[in-house]
Amino acid sequence: SANIMFDLEERELQELANSVIEWVDVDLESRSDWEQRMEQGMELLGLNNVPMEELPFDGASAVTYPLIGEAVVQFQSRAIEEVFPSEGPVKVKLVGEITQEKTDQAERVKNHMNYQILDQDRSYFWNVDQMLFYLPLGGSAFKKTYYDPISEMVVSRFVKSPDFIVPYIATDLASSPRYTHRMYKNHTEMKKLFASGFWEGFDLPKVTPYSTDTLDDRDRHHQDQADSRSADVHTEDSVYTCYECHCDLELDIDAERYGRDAPMPYIVTVERESRNIMSIRRNWKE
């Protein structure tokens, strides 16, 4: 789990950062038609205001019947009962010979994980609730379970499909040459991750959060429209776009150490505005 970016030269880091950003841009462009359909879906929910200049004729009604919105809410309300029952979402399954010792162990595991989800991770339920609203509209949604160095516990977070970026040639994640989680981190979160040592710190640039004119920010713009909000924030509340790219690389330091000539899996995290790499970690067990 070491951050091995310090074993690479500055030139190598810059080339790798440029490659990650280029991969993301190409992968986003390959699904631009899908993103446009997502935009139309948001409009059909009836949550976004339709500008008067986009109406087909003067005096036309801008009302959207919320049939799709009602269907989404119905799905969400029924699904939450299934994935989040009152006794807790974690269940266990015994494999192999069933003994009293294994049964007791499984019960302890179930109780502890339910404790983590129901008591420790206060955001878990709301992430599931939000995911089940988004799922019927977007067609797919993702959960990311990981150790959070800020809260110092295992958390599970909802990742929207627009923020999970895969290449055009991918048919499944196991054989995909890369996949990227696009994360939006505010100034405070960035500083905490730097202080924890999880990411290597640097002088954060001054950025305009959610500029709405880039491919990255399109989905956020529609959310703001639906919530009747605008991205007017204090300068200290800057939001940074970070790419956590799971990819196969050929790094000389590991080719020599492990005697491997083929690409090996790594996790590379880049801040887009500054094009700074914040971490490189091996993604395999030694």
Side-chain angles (χ1 to χ4, degrees):
S1 62
N3 187 354
I4 62 172
M5 61 174 289
F6 308 105
D7 296 334
L8 276 68
E9 297 180 0
E10 187 63 32
R11 174 187 57 81
E12 294 177 292
L13 292 174
Q14 194 59 57
E15 289 177 356
L16 182 55
N18 292 336
S19 295
V20 168
I21 293 175
E22 183 179 349
W23 292 339
V24 170
D25 289 342
V26 170
D27 295 343
L28 285 172
E29 185 59 34
S30 71
R31 68 177 198 187
S32 57
D33 290 343
W34 173 81
E35 291 197 339
Q36 290 176 3
R37 289 197 298 272
M38 287 292 295
E39 291 181 36
Q40 294 172 355
M42 289 295 293
E43 293 174 359
L44 292 174
L45 277 178
L47 298 177
N48 291 349
N49 295 324
V50 180
M52 298 301 294
E53 59 270 16
E54 293 185 9
L55 298 178
F57 55 87
D58 291 339
S61 174
V63 175
T64 301
Y65 187 72
L67 179 64
I68 296 179
E70 288 182 9
V72 166
V73 173
Q74 286 287 335
F75 173 90
Q76 178 194 30
S77 61
R78 293 174 181 176
I80 193 68
E81 296 179 356
E82 299 296 327
V83 301
F84 211 98
S86 58
E87 65 270 16
V90 177
K91 297 179 181 180
V92 291
K93 178 182 179 181
L94 292 175
V95 179
E97 181 184 0
I98 297 177
T99 64
Q100 187 61 44
E101 182 181 3
K102 289 174 67 174
T103 302
D104 293 341
Q105 182 185 15
E107 188 68 17
R108 291 194 300 270
V109 170
K110 182 186 75 171
N111 291 338
H112 180 68
M113 292 187 69
N114 277 320
Y115 162 73
Q116 288 180 307
I117 289 173
L118 298 173
D119 295 291
Q120 282 190 314
D121 188 359
R122 301 297 179 86
S123 300
Y124 182 90
F125 173 82
W126 303 112
N127 271 263
V128 173
D129 191 55
Q130 185 182 14
M131 179 187 70
L132 293 177
F133 179 86
Y134 185 87
L135 177 59
L137 178 65
S140 59
F142 304 90
K143 291 294 294 293
K144 179 181 179 182
T145 303
Y146 60 98
Y147 178 79
D148 179 22
I150 297 179
S151 61
E152 297 183 339
M153 66 180 184
V154 176
V155 298
S156 186
R157 295 291 177 260
F158 160 49
V159 178
K160 292 182 297 183
S161 48
D163 291 330
F164 190 68
I165 305 165
V166 296
Y168 170 77
I169 61 174
T171 56
D172 59 83
L173 296 185
S175 62
S176 177
R178 63 182 176 273
Y179 45 88
T180 305
H181 178 200
R182 178 175 60 194
M183 303 176 289
Y184 297 109
K185 299 291 186 182
N186 60 44
H187 188 271
T188 301
E189 288 177 305
M190 295 289 284
K191 288 290 189 180
K192 288 181 177 179
L193 287 165
F194 292 165
S196 69
F198 187 72
W199 286 349
E200 176 63 13
F202 62 95
D203 293 332
L204 292 170
K206 295 294 184 181
V207 297
T208 303
Y210 309 134
S211 56
T212 71
D213 60 352
T214 66
L215 201 58
D216 276 358
D217 302 332
R218 186 182 298 167
D219 185 61
R220 175 69 62 173
H221 174 59
H222 285 288
Q223 283 189 42
D224 288 344
Q225 275 195 322
D227 293 338
S228 300
R229 301 187 304 171
S230 60
D232 297 321
V233 297
H234 194 276
T235 54
E236 294 181 358
D237 294 332
S238 292
V239 176
Y240 300 89
T241 302
C242 304
Y243 297 140
E244 182 186 88
C245 184
H246 297 237
C247 53
D248 294 335
L249 302 173
E250 294 184 77
L251 298 184
D252 293 338
I253 55 172
D254 283 343
E256 298 172 0
R257 180 177 299 153
Y258 296 101
R260 294 283 299 274
D261 296 329
M264 299 174 72
Y266 295 86
I267 303 175
V268 182
T269 310
V270 182
E271 196 280 317
R272 182 180 179 94
E273 184 71 17
S274 63
R275 293 179 175 255
N276 272 326
I277 287 183
M278 298 179 289
S279 70
I280 303 174
R281 288 184 165 85
R282 299 179 181 92
N283 198 19
W284 75 87
K285 293 183 179 179
E286 189 171 7

